[in-house]
Amino acid sequence: MVEDGGNDFLVDGRSTEDWLLHAQELVPVALDKANEVKGFPGRWKMIISKLEQIPSRLSDLSSHPCFSKNALCKEQLQAVSKTLREAIELAELCVKEKYEGKLLMQSDLDALTGKLDLNLRDCGLLIKTGVLGEATLPLAVAGPVAEPDVAINSNIRELLARLQIGHLESKHRALDSLAEVMKEDEKTILSVLSRSNIAALVQLLTATSPRIREKTVTLICSLAESGSCENWLVSEGVLPPLIRLVESETARAIVGHGGVHPLIELCQTGDSVSQAAAACTLKNISAVPEVRQNLAAEGIVRVMINLLNCGILLGSKEYAAECLQNLTTSNDNLRRSVISEGGVRSLLAYLDGPLPQESAVGALRNLVGAVSVEGLVSLGFLPRLVHVLKSGSLGAQQAAATAICRVCSSTEMKKLIGEAGCIPLLVKMLEAKSYGAREVAAQAIACLIVLPQNCRDVKKDDKSVPHLVQLLDPSPQNTAKKYAVSCLACLSSSKKCKKLMISYGALGYLKKLTEMDIPGAKKLLERMERGKLRSLFSRK
């Protein structure tokens, strides 16, 4: 059994034809079991639609003249068979209702849908890459001299195909082999290289495995030096991920060679321009998670807070705020360090300007969960929050709404935020063009609305119901729908709000969301339909 990041294959003696037969036998079993399931109708409807596509993909593969001659076909059939077995197991659990929890099963079903998507995609790619077609060249006709060249070309096509298809270890081996061939026979690789191969390489630059990223960079550098595919590389977007990787390497090199200490000294003693340049460099370095602890050991937290308080140029203060935001993104020790050094007070003071900066709000968002309600109130957190929601950029407002979600764990804080006047400003945010801004605004309202007095404030705003109903839109791009359902459920106790919801089309949206298993949608729909029936009978 080989662990390979999601697919593991049994090393056995079964032929490709055996695996094909096995997969073909599993499909009707999986479909029968899936059709028996009553729960999670939206998710199983999606899974069934994908299961129904598998036979045609298997047929496409098996009808190819070289189906049984290529190792990729066998591996793909093993992957499909594994996914089908998983579908059968999950269907049986759902039929018997013997799963651990609803949310966990929803997550498992979403993962299954993703695997089916990947299987269908890889089956299609196996044909499209041309790796099978290359093997159909008649070697006997080509003659004995051409045989080695044809075999080499076929092998390279298979290696290039493995950049797009197959499991993680397969991609590692393919990159190693391609790098070796590139050293010895660059022309042959370039002769069979296609744009889709370049696109696959560019995608591997963002892989989670550092080894994959490093090997991909090596191969891309060799291709770039050949001078044959610069246009393809650029048009497929190679520059942004390469720049990010270079910045990460540069940051490690600066830290490793003792470059942090002189930069910190410049922030403390340099002139205004040098101070800003040093702060900017440290801000960039702090974006790399692996070096943040090294920066902390050099005293960067206190220096950035001092710069925030006393920086000569506004740019220096902005870089300091961004640096603190980076440092506190995912490190509890650094969060505690910033708080103990007085960072919360300094960040709040920095927000008093006419255009509160997103970076400072982002840093506060990272910190507020570790500060008590009393501490935040005494430091003046609430009026600054209102100031950002009124006057900040959309990004700053979004960070402020996220901060509200993080501090709303207590009834007391929910009450204080409502009294501070945040609710009308969050309702206004629901009009934003950005999906992310609408989502976090709806999430913040959902946190606050559970308190009766906050619910009354939401009801008072004439735009709240129309905006929230609009956020029931079932499209995948709308990520706010589950929070909109939660908010409207709280408002549905009001007859006036319920009538407004119906008039703005909430029933149609909720029917679709119920099919999609959006939490709370079914219950809200039933409540609204009961109310509609009562009003119908009362009129008679």
Side-chain angles (χ1 to χ4, degrees):
M1 192 82 72
V2 181
E3 186 63 34
D4 48 49
N7 290 320
D8 47 359
F9 300 108
L10 288 167
V11 179
D12 63 12
R14 278 189 274 186
S15 67
T16 307
E17 288 83 356
D18 291 336
W19 276 106
L20 173 65
L21 183 61
H22 182 57
Q24 287 171 331
E25 289 171 345
L26 287 173
V27 173
V29 178
L31 279 168
D32 287 345
K33 293 285 184 185
N35 280 305
E36 287 178 26
V37 180
K38 302 300 180 191
F40 312 103
R43 283 176 167 82
W44 277 106
K45 186 178 178 182
M46 180 72 72
I47 289 167
I48 288 166
S49 73
K50 295 183 188 305
L51 289 172
E52 288 171 343
Q53 296 173 49
I54 288 178
S56 65
R57 297 298 172 93
L58 296 181
S59 175
D60 289 342
L61 277 182
S62 61
S63 61
H64 198 284
C66 287
F67 163 70
S68 60
K69 299 176 185 177
N70 197 294
L72 281 172
C73 282
K74 185 174 179 178
E75 288 179 17
Q76 188 54 41
L77 290 168
Q78 289 172 318
V80 171
S81 299
K82 183 185 175 188
T83 306
L84 289 169
R85 287 195 298 272
E86 188 175 327
I88 293 167
E89 289 167 8
L90 289 175
E92 287 174 344
L93 288 173
C94 287
V95 167
K96 296 173 185 175
E97 296 187 353
K98 287 189 175 179
Y99 43 86
E100 291 181 20
K102 188 175 179 181
L103 290 176
L104 182 60
M105 178 52 73
Q106 286 176 341
S107 176
D108 288 342
L109 294 177
D110 289 341
L112 174 62
T113 303
K115 289 175 188 176
L116 286 166
D117 275 333
L118 188 61
N119 290 157
L120 292 168
R121 169 188 166 277
D122 281 0
C123 284
L125 280 172
L126 202 51
I127 302 293
K128 290 177 185 176
T129 52
V131 65
L132 298 181
E134 177 72 13
T136 63
L137 289 172
L139 299 183
V141 174
V145 177
E147 280 187 31
D149 291 340
V150 173
I152 289 168
N153 282 3
S154 179
N155 180 49
I156 290 172
R157 283 189 186 277
E158 180 175 321
L159 290 173
L160 290 168
R162 286 185 182 278
L163 300 179
Q164 301 174 71
I165 299 166
H167 48 88
L168 199 61
E169 196 53 44
S170 171
K171 290 181 172 68
H172 275 301
R173 291 197 297 268
L175 286 165
D176 286 338
S177 300
L178 285 167
E180 287 300 315
V181 176
M182 194 71 187
K183 289 177 190 173
E184 299 167 10
D185 193 2
E186 182 183 289
K187 287 182 180 178
T188 304
I189 284 193
L190 295 174
S191 69
V192 298
L193 198 67
S194 70
R195 184 164 182 163
S196 65
N197 303 138
I198 295 292
L201 272 174
V202 171
Q203 284 186 335
L204 289 177
L205 286 173
T206 56
T208 52
S209 164
R211 282 172 58 214
I212 288 253
R213 293 199 301 266
E214 288 166 13
K215 291 174 182 179
T216 304
V217 169
T218 302
L219 188 54
I220 284 175
C221 287
S222 299
L223 292 172
E225 286 169 5
S226 73
S228 302
C229 45
E230 298 101 321
N231 290 339
W232 277 353
L233 284 166
V234 173
S235 61
E236 290 299 330
V238 75
L239 293 177
L242 268 182
I243 290 166
R244 284 194 294 272
L245 287 172
V246 169
E247 286 175 344
S248 177
E249 291 299 317
T250 303
R252 290 188 183 92
I254 290 171
V255 172
H257 290 85
V260 171
H261 186 69
L263 287 169
I264 283 179
E265 282 194 341
L266 274 175
C267 286
Q268 294 172 299
T269 60
D271 58 48
S272 59
V273 176
S274 301
Q275 190 182 71
C280 182
T281 305
L282 288 167
K283 177 263 294 184
N284 291 336
I285 294 172
S286 69
V288 179
E290 297 88 341
V291 303
R292 287 173 188 158
Q293 209 58 56
N294 301 81
L295 294 174
E298 294 281 357
I300 195 170
V301 170
R302 179 172 292 179
V303 169
M304 288 298 138
I305 291 171
N306 288 340
L307 205 55
L308 201 58
N309 295 331
C310 312
I312 302 167
L313 298 177
L314 281 176
S316 300
K317 294 189 174 192
E318 174 65 9
Y319 296 139
E322 284 187 63
C323 187
L324 290 171
Q325 181 183 3
N326 290 340
L327 292 170
T328 56
T329 297
S330 57
N331 190 309
D332 285 335
N333 289 332
L334 288 174
R335 285 179 190 143
R336 284 191 288 270
S337 177
V338 172
I339 291 167
S340 66
E341 294 282 356
V344 174
R345 185 186 300 277
S346 299
L347 287 162
L348 287 168
Y350 177 57
L351 288 177
D352 284 336
L355 292 171
Q357 297 297 310
E358 180 180 349
S359 54
V361 189
L364 282 167
R365 173 198 59 207
N366 298 340
L367 297 170
V368 289
V371 183
S372 68
V373 172
E374 295 78 13
L376 289 172
V377 171
S378 67
L379 289 168
F381 172 66
L382 295 173
R384 268 60 171 256
L385 203 58
V386 172
H387 175 49
V388 172
L389 290 172
K390 279 182 179 175
S391 307
S393 66
L394 187 58
Q397 291 175 18
Q398 198 167 327
T402 308
I404 289 173
C405 297
R406 293 187 182 180
V407 298
C408 269
S409 54
S410 71
T411 301
E412 182 187 2
M413 188 52 104
K414 288 184 177 76
K415 178 174 175 287
L416 291 170
I417 289 172
E419 289 173 348
C422 290
I423 288 172
L425 299 169
L426 290 169
V427 171
K428 189 177 180 183
M429 260 185 83
L430 297 175
E431 302 174 15
K433 291 182 180 179
S434 157
Y435 286 113
R438 292 203 295 269
E439 178 185 15
V440 76
Q443 185 182 2
I445 294 169
C447 290
L448 296 166
I449 202 171
V450 294
L451 205 65
Q453 61 208 71
N454 289 342
C455 189
R456 286 194 293 272
D457 287 342
V458 176
K459 287 175 188 173
K460 284 178 192 173
D461 195 312
D462 293 338
K463 293 184 178 180
S464 60
V465 170
H467 288 337
L468 287 166
V469 171
Q470 199 171 15
L471 292 182
L472 295 175
D473 177 9
S475 68
Q477 297 90 343
N478 174 30
T479 51
K481 42 188 173 277
K482 61 182 177 182
Y483 301 117
V485 169
S486 178
C487 293
L488 290 169
C490 290
L491 297 172
S492 63
S493 58
S494 159
K495 289 182 181 179
K496 180 185 174 184
C497 288
K498 200 183 289 185
K499 285 179 182 176
L500 272 175
M501 291 179 211
I502 293 169
S503 70
Y504 280 99
L507 291 175
Y509 282 137
L510 286 169
K511 285 173 184 174
K512 290 178 183 175
L513 296 185
T514 299
E515 290 176 4
M516 295 166 65
D517 290 328
I518 298 299
K522 185 178 180 182
K523 190 174 179 181
L524 178 57
L525 177 63
E526 289 171 351
R527 186 186 298 172
M528 291 182 69
E529 286 182 329
R530 279 200 304 270
K532 196 177 178 186
L533 280 170
R534 277 197 220 99
S535 65
L536 186 66
F537 287 125
S538 65
R539 284 201 298 272
K540 289 181 178 179

